Amino acid sequence: MTAVARRQLPLRPAGPDTVAALLDWYDSEKRDLPWRVRKGRRPDPYRVWLSEIMLQQTVVKAVIPYYERFLGRWPTVADLAAASLDDVLAMWAGLGYYSRARNLHKCAQAVTQRSDGKFPRTERELASLPGIGPYTAAAIAAIAFNEKATPVDGNIERVTARLFAVKTPLPAAKRELRRLAATLTPDRRAGDFAQAMMDLGATVCSPRRPSCLMCPLQSDCAAHAKGIEEQLPARMAKQERPSRYGIAFLALREDGHVLLRKRPEAGLLGGMLEVPSTEWQDEWLPPDLALGAAPVRGDWWPVPGSVQHTFTHFKLELLVYLAIVPASAALTFWAEPDRCQWIARRDLHAAALPTVMRKVLQHALKEQ
Ligand code: SF4
């Protein structure tokens, strides 16, 4: 369809009829996700919260196996609160953004310490719990308790920007998009409405080439009427991520144990295990200087190639040095021995190792 033909379609400004059309579509087309319940059933706030925390910065497909493993091991918020943080971090390993796991554990404990041991219902109270920001508070209030709240994630931002043809680029447009999305939120079925917007964004109103011909909101959509849907939402040009560099030291003991170190609780990958490394800096350290920081004295040699990993705010490149050391090997001052432990290779799969450190281990051990 051409842009000219589209202008000839009558545009129905987004409003209550838009909401009704979207809810009808949701009733027949909604995605079957493990944290959703059948129509008429009450969602379990614990499951809604767990899924929403996992879905922050992570796609649905990656979340589902983690969600099912967490629920299998800790079926209630009280079970999760009673778990050790190390077990929670180990179960979370690979999902990224590890502060979420630490806050998940803190939040479970905060909920069980409330007088009724239950999640609060309102956005305001939910937002006072660890790890629950404005978006997640609104999502839990709407989905678990059907409170009139408007969570606005990336999918909902995109649908709203197109429905109202908002041309202001993101992130400056965020506040306006939240306000516009809130004008649509109905008094009844606020949770279904939020999930319907999420589903529409995930399946029909996709970032590139939205399927407007199949969209229940086609006659309400200002961007479609103007033929500009693929240009929205507009975004400010992104700045290139800076690069950082470091050297990781994998000490492999003759009895098949590797040396790992626990990172400090605060900061990037906090509380997770790592292969000891130099600081991650803007430039490479000269190898002779770097080798002075090895955690064990030994015959260190470089593993050919390097490990690359992209974090939200920077790209990391690590060279990896490997040494095979006797079982009696003593740690150097640089290892920070209090935070170190030797772990058997066969147990590494269950260790709280972030993805970047799994890459280091795979790189270093592929021929050992
Ligand atoms: Fe998105 Fe197209 Fe539907 Fe508009 S008509 S909401 S651009 S899929």
Side-chain angles (χ1 to χ4, degrees):
M1 192 184 293
T2 66
V4 173
R6 286 181 195 170
R7 279 193 215 104
Q8 290 165 356
L9 293 173
L11 175 67
R12 178 176 68 177
D17 290 340
T18 315
V19 177
L22 185 62
L23 288 172
D24 281 350
W25 173 83
Y26 181 71
D27 286 340
S28 60
E29 304 295 331
K30 73 176 168 188
R31 290 177 292 173
D32 185 15
L33 300 174
W35 44 86
R36 288 189 173 165
V37 290
R38 266 184 265 132
K39 201 173 175 186
R41 292 257 180 105
R42 281 198 172 184
D44 174 353
Y46 171 59
R47 294 175 181 224
V48 173
W49 163 73
L50 186 60
S51 64
E52 286 297 335
I53 300 292
M54 289 183 165
L55 286 164
Q56 292 168 3
Q57 325 268 1
T58 310
V59 296
V60 166
K61 195 171 157 209
V63 162
I64 289 174
Y66 281 88
Y67 171 83
E68 290 179 337
R69 282 200 291 274
F70 263 73
L71 261 196
R73 179 135 176 215
W74 300 300
T76 67
V77 69
D79 295 325
L80 182 57
S84 77
L85 177 59
D86 283 348
D87 284 349
V88 173
L89 287 170
M91 191 74 110
W92 191 275
L95 207 48
Y97 300 95
Y98 296 93
S99 59
R100 289 185 295 168
R102 289 194 302 281
N103 280 329
L104 188 85
H105 190 240
K106 271 193 213 150
C107 183
Q109 292 180 331
V111 169
T112 52
Q113 281 161 14
R114 283 167 51 88
S115 56
D116 59 0
K118 292 180 180 165
F119 281 88
R121 302 179 60 99
T122 66
E123 251 180 296
R124 194 177 54 77
E125 287 175 293
L126 284 160
S128 70
L129 291 168
I132 299 188
Y135 163 78
T136 310
I140 300 169
I143 299 169
F145 300 110
N146 221 8
E147 295 273 314
K148 189 176 177 186
T150 310
V152 180
D153 66 357
N155 282 325
I156 298 181
E157 266 176 1
R158 184 169 59 256
V159 174
T160 308
R162 289 172 175 172
L163 267 180
F164 293 92
V166 174
K167 292 182 187 156
T168 312
L170 284 167
K174 277 183 181 289
R175 181 183 288 217
E176 186 184 1
L177 294 176
R178 268 202 303 275
R179 182 186 64 75
L180 290 168
T183 64
L184 295 178
T185 302
D187 293 335
R188 292 181 61 249
R189 299 191 69 188
D192 285 349
F193 174 72
Q195 293 178 95
M197 289 284 272
M198 293 172 192
D199 280 16
L200 191 79
T203 61
V204 176
C205 192
S206 46
R208 288 177 198 192
R209 299 188 171 274
S211 308
C212 300
L213 290 178
M214 298 167 62
C215 179
L217 308 186
Q218 194 188 141
S219 53
D220 313 58
C221 180
H224 180 66
K226 295 176 179 176
I228 57 169
E229 64 271 21
E230 291 194 30
Q231 296 157 34
L232 298 183
R235 287 179 196 280
M236 306 271 278
K238 272 196 186 162
Q239 286 189 336
E240 175 104 14
R241 287 186 180 95
S243 295
R244 293 197 197 157
Y245 307 92
I247 296 186
F249 299 99
L250 186 70
L252 175 60
R253 240 172 33 185
E254 287 166 342
D255 62 359
H257 287 62
V258 299
L259 181 68
L260 296 179
R261 181 168 65 190
K262 192 169 185 179
R263 291 178 63 87
E265 293 294 335
L268 184 71
L269 310 178
M272 302 293 286
L273 293 172
E274 66 175 359
V275 175
S277 75
T278 61
E279 294 285 321
W280 301 343
Q281 308 187 112
D282 297 343
E283 292 180 1
W284 289 109
L285 263 183
D288 49 337
L289 254 189
L291 282 171
V296 183
R297 264 185 282 284
D299 187 11
W300 292 96
W301 75 88
V303 178
S306 65
V307 170
Q308 280 147 41
H309 189 78
T310 302
F311 292 99
T312 321
H313 300 299
F314 65 96
K315 290 189 214 163
L316 177 66
E317 184 169 0
L318 290 172
L319 291 180
V320 184
Y321 277 69
L322 178 72
I324 296 175
V325 299
S328 59
L331 303 184
T332 66
F333 163 78
W334 298 106
E336 299 178 67
D338 291 352
R339 294 199 281 120
C340 284
Q341 53 191 291
W342 292 95
I343 296 195
R345 283 178 71 169
R346 65 175 176 279
D347 295 333
L348 287 174
H349 68 280
L353 283 158
T355 303
V356 59
M357 291 302 154
R358 291 194 181 274
K359 286 185 189 174
V360 169
L361 286 162
Q362 210 168 15
H363 179 69
L365 296 174
K366 60 183 178 240
E367 284 169 17
Q368 294 303 314

